[in-house]
Amino acid sequence: MVTNIKISIIVPGRLHPFDMALYFQKQGVLNELVTGYPKGYVVPFGIEKKYVKSLYINEIINRTTNKLGLGYPLDSFACDAFDWLAARTIKLDSNVYFIWSGYGELTIKKLRKKNPSAKVIIVRGSTHIVTHNYLLKKINNSVKNIINNRIIIKEQAEYQLADYITVPSTFARQTFLDQGIDPEKLFLNYLGVSLKQFPYNRRSRVDNSKLVFGNVGNLSIQKNVAAIITVVEKIYETNKNIHLILTGAVEEQSFSRALLGKPFITYKGKVAQAELNKVYQEIDVFVINSVQEGMAMVQLQAMSSGCPLISTFNAGASDLIDDYQNGIAIPAFDNRSLLRAMEWFIDNQQNISIMGNKSRQKTEKGFTWDEFGKRNMEFIQKILNR
């Protein structure tokens, strides 16, 4: 067994790498966390300051261009800038490097020269970049709503340069296989959730209370939230005893704020992570209608909080849902299936608490951050022992 392991994590944002880094820190194998966030933001998550290296460049570019409505096509510039800085500042003595896709081509090339024995793992939180682009274009073929071609080319180069690619769902893994990636190169590791941060503490439902559907996450073309609103509005025409809670930032280029003015919607805006558990406690059934995901962490958070799911297969539903036990899995791009799933919950409200309890049980067996970390460590030991 390999000992004295050193692991580097290179990521532009937050996502789940902080949870990954925290587990590696506890195991005594974290060498560094290179991130686009300032140390003052990272340290409260429990990661020691000595491990954190902050490169603000991509956050500055992204926030500025998004504010000006120029995110596309300048988004590729932010990726390249972070990659360029990371390649010049990372530690070169790690055994394993987890690098987020789209931000690592130059960094990997540097490692091949300076630390050729290191194992490089590209972290892809979604589907294969080509599939990702194709699915977004099925919703809207507008130039501003598809992925920058420079990013597509860069990510494909990273897939080839890396030793391995880790993905968070069976659906995401299949898209890589469909694009010709060697299955031996793929590592499937489901994401996790903090059971303590998202406790099971369900509110009591009464027979005449409104049935509350809910969604947490960016209101965007990828999440296809507009279709959720369309379906709920259709139900609302004949059944006023339903409600929809939406929480998250609006992606201005792909979602119309005018949709939020419907009488059956409560829009909470962007809510801090520490306050999200309160939102889940207001929701009876959590709905995620994404056209593509790896595995949205909000699904696991909702499940941990006791919500049954309605989720698309393209959002990892096959890994999370036992049909009609803890939720209903539906195809993406299928408003009829979404309508039928919602109507089923309306007609079977007596099952919601039982299904929510089974959702919580599902997260307790295989979907905690500790289990996510253990799977990472087992995989690292395996590839280093080769």
Side-chain angles (χ1 to χ4, degrees), residues 157-204:
E158 292 169 352
Y159 300 161
Q160 297 302 319
L161 288 167
D163 296 295
Y164 300 95
I165 304 164
T166 180
V167 291
S169 69
T170 303
F171 174 76
R173 181 179 184 274
Q174 185 60 49
T175 66
F176 277 85
L177 296 176
D178 292 343
Q179 294 294 330
I181 299 295
D182 184 351
E184 292 296 317
K185 197 169 188 172
L186 298 173
F187 168 45
L188 170 60
N189 191 3
Y190 305 130
L191 299 184
V193 65
S194 168
L195 301 177
K196 182 178 180 181
Q197 187 176 359
F198 297 96
Y200 179 74
N201 183 24
R202 301 307 293 158
R203 66 186 177 92
S204 299

Side-chain angles (χ1 to χ4, degrees), residues 190-191 193 195 300 303 319-320 357-368 371-372 375:
Y190 305 130
L191 299 184
V193 65
L195 301 177
L300 293 168
M303 290 172 65
D319 298 312
L320 297 175
N357 184 46
K358 289 181 178 178
S359 277
R360 171 68 179 200
Q361 291 174 7
K362 185 93 171 180
T363 60
E364 293 172 346
K365 300 174 181 178
F367 293 95
T368 66
E371 287 163 315
F372 170 79
R375 289 190 291 266

Side-chain angles (χ1 to χ4, degrees), residues 7-11 16-17 20 24 32-34 94 96-101 111 119-123 166 187 189 372 375-377 379-380 383:
I7 299 173
S8 290
I9 300 172
I10 297 95
V11 60
H16 64 275
M20 180 190 288
F24 289 150
E32 63 178 341
L33 169 64
V34 181
S94 290
V96 179
Y97 292 81
F98 285 89
I99 304 176
W100 254 248
S101 63
L111 290 170
K119 299 299 182 185
V120 176
I121 303 172
I122 282 292
V123 182
T166 180
F187 168 45
N189 191 3
F372 170 79
R375 289 190 291 266
N376 270 329
M377 286 302 302
F379 179 71
I380 289 167
I383 64 176

Side-chain angles (χ1 to χ4, degrees), residues 10-44:
I10 297 95
V11 60
R14 157 112 168 76
L15 306 174
H16 64 275
F18 289 10
D19 301 286
M20 180 190 288
L22 189 59
Y23 183 86
F24 289 150
Q25 178 181 277
K26 291 176 181 176
Q27 303 305 310
V29 297
L30 181 64
N31 198 20
E32 63 178 341
L33 169 64
V34 181
T35 174
Y37 280 87
K39 290 185 179 181
Y41 180 89
V42 180
V43 171

Side-chain angles (χ1 to χ4, degrees), residues 11-216:
V11 60
R14 157 112 168 76
L15 306 174
H16 64 275
F18 289 10
D19 301 286
M20 180 190 288
L22 189 59
Y23 183 86
F24 289 150
Q25 178 181 277
K26 291 176 181 176
Q27 303 305 310
V29 297
L30 181 64
N31 198 20
E32 63 178 341
L33 169 64
V34 181
T35 174
Y37 280 87
K39 290 185 179 181
Y41 180 89
V42 180
V43 171
F45 285 88
I47 302 165
E48 294 180 33
K49 190 175 182 180
K50 65 181 179 180
Y51 295 119
V52 181
K53 187 176 295 179
S54 296
L55 306 177
Y56 308 123
I57 186 68
N58 71 297
E59 280 295 312
I60 293 172
I61 294 171
N62 280 333
R63 290 173 186 267
T64 301
T65 56
N66 287 341
K67 188 173 183 180
L68 297 175
L70 301 173
Y72 183 101
L74 295 180
D75 47 358
S76 66
F77 179 58
C79 296
D80 291 341
F82 182 88
D83 188 10
W84 186 87
L85 283 176
R88 282 155 178 76
T89 58
I90 59 168
K91 293 181 179 180
L92 298 173
D93 62 340
S94 290
N95 307 96
V96 179
Y97 292 81
F98 285 89
I99 304 176
W100 254 248
S101 63
Y103 295 85
E105 184 180 3
L106 297 176
T107 303
I108 298 172
K109 290 178 178 178
K110 172 74 170 290
L111 290 170
R112 293 305 185 212
K113 293 179 180 179
K114 300 295 184 179
N115 186 0
S117 65
K119 299 299 182 185
V120 176
I121 303 172
I122 282 292
V123 182
R124 177 63 178 161
S126 300
T127 56
H128 188 288
I129 191 71
V130 172
T131 307
H132 187 169
N133 187 53
Y134 165 76
L135 291 171
L136 291 185
K137 288 173 72 173
K138 282 186 71 172
I139 291 254
N140 188 330
N141 202 22
S142 166
V143 172
K144 285 191 175 183
N145 289 329
I146 60 174
I147 301 170
N148 189 315
N149 194 54
R150 291 185 58 172
I151 294 178
I152 295 175
I153 294 170
K154 180 173 185 174
E155 286 216 14
Q156 290 185 94
E158 292 169 352
Y159 300 161
Q160 297 302 319
L161 288 167
D163 296 295
Y164 300 95
I165 304 164
T166 180
V167 291
S169 69
T170 303
F171 174 76
R173 181 179 184 274
Q174 185 60 49
T175 66
F176 277 85
L177 296 176
D178 292 343
Q179 294 294 330
I181 299 295
D182 184 351
E184 292 296 317
K185 197 169 188 172
L186 298 173
F187 168 45
L188 170 60
N189 191 3
Y190 305 130
L191 299 184
V193 65
S194 168
L195 301 177
K196 182 178 180 181
Q197 187 176 359
F198 297 96
Y200 179 74
N201 183 24
R202 301 307 293 158
R203 66 186 177 92
S204 299
R205 296 197 76 255
V206 293
D207 291 340
N208 62 350
S209 62
K210 285 192 175 183
L211 180 61
V212 180
F213 296 98
N215 176 274
V216 174

